[in-house]
Amino acid sequence: MTVSPVAAAAPEATVTVEGRSAPRLPASAVPGIKGVRLSPHGTEATLMNISASGILVECVSRLRLGTAVTTVFDGTFSPSTIEGRVARSSVANVSKKGVLQYHIGIAFNKPIVLETAPVAAATRQPEAPAAPAALETPGALAPPGTTAQAPVAAPVLPVLSNRW
């Protein structure tokens, strides 16, 4: 019996996560960033998401891949500036007036430290309280002929990811 090259090369059904160097935080999870500017172009941008290794912004300026930029954060976020390079640039939207908006992915030259507390609050639901000791033994407080069931833990939501 022969196996076709396609069948032999087909990967097994596994769930894989893109090769990210750091999890992304949506803009709503970083309230210290009130605005973003890209220097030396002076372009105003809207924060889409951020990680320790990079940022995704939306703006009306097209930036070429590999272009060196300094990201300037308005607000209380620290660091207030970080240097990087354009790692991704794609058209995100075309307005009714025909103005192009771009998604610009910037890879930071050095990783930054992001507080992880907002991630936990933004992506996880509250955990169920621990069961009393009496409920840990099946049937301890259950009516005769039935068994007690342990509470089900709330699911953990994934952190936002992008392709840059």
Side-chain angles (χ1 to χ4, degrees):
M1 179 171 119
T2 60
V3 177
S4 73
V6 173
E12 295 193 21
T14 59
V15 177
T16 58
V17 177
E18 293 182 21
R20 299 281 165 225
S21 60
R24 275 46 179 168
L25 295 176
S28 61
V30 192
I33 299 177
K34 302 295 182 195
V36 178
R37 284 177 287 128
L38 304 178
S39 181
H41 310 289
T43 301
E44 294 288 327
T46 302
L47 174 66
M48 303 305 290
N49 66 51
I50 188 169
S51 74
S53 61
I55 188 170
L56 179 67
V57 297
E58 186 174 280
C59 65
V60 295
S61 296
R62 178 177 175 257
L63 301 178
R64 294 183 178 264
L65 294 178
T67 301
V69 294
T70 300
T71 304
V72 180
F73 299 108
D74 296 331
T76 60
F77 185 78
S78 181
S80 59
T81 63
I82 186 86
E83 294 180 358
R85 63 173 177 75
V86 176
R88 177 177 152 206
S89 180
S90 61
V91 175
N93 189 21
V94 180
S95 73
K96 291 179 181 178
K97 295 182 179 182
V99 177
L100 296 175
Q101 292 190 332
Y102 297 89
H103 275 177
I104 307 294
I106 299 169
F108 298 147
N109 291 346
K110 297 178 189 173
I112 62 171
V113 176
L114 289 175
E115 293 182 23
T116 57
V119 174
T123 61
R124 292 189 185 148
Q125 295 186 7
E127 294 182 21
L135 291 180
E136 291 177 5
T137 307
L141 295 178
T146 63
T147 59
Q149 295 182 354
V152 178
V156 176
L157 300 175
V159 174
L160 180 67
S161 295
N162 267 327
R163 303 175 309 167
W164 57 278

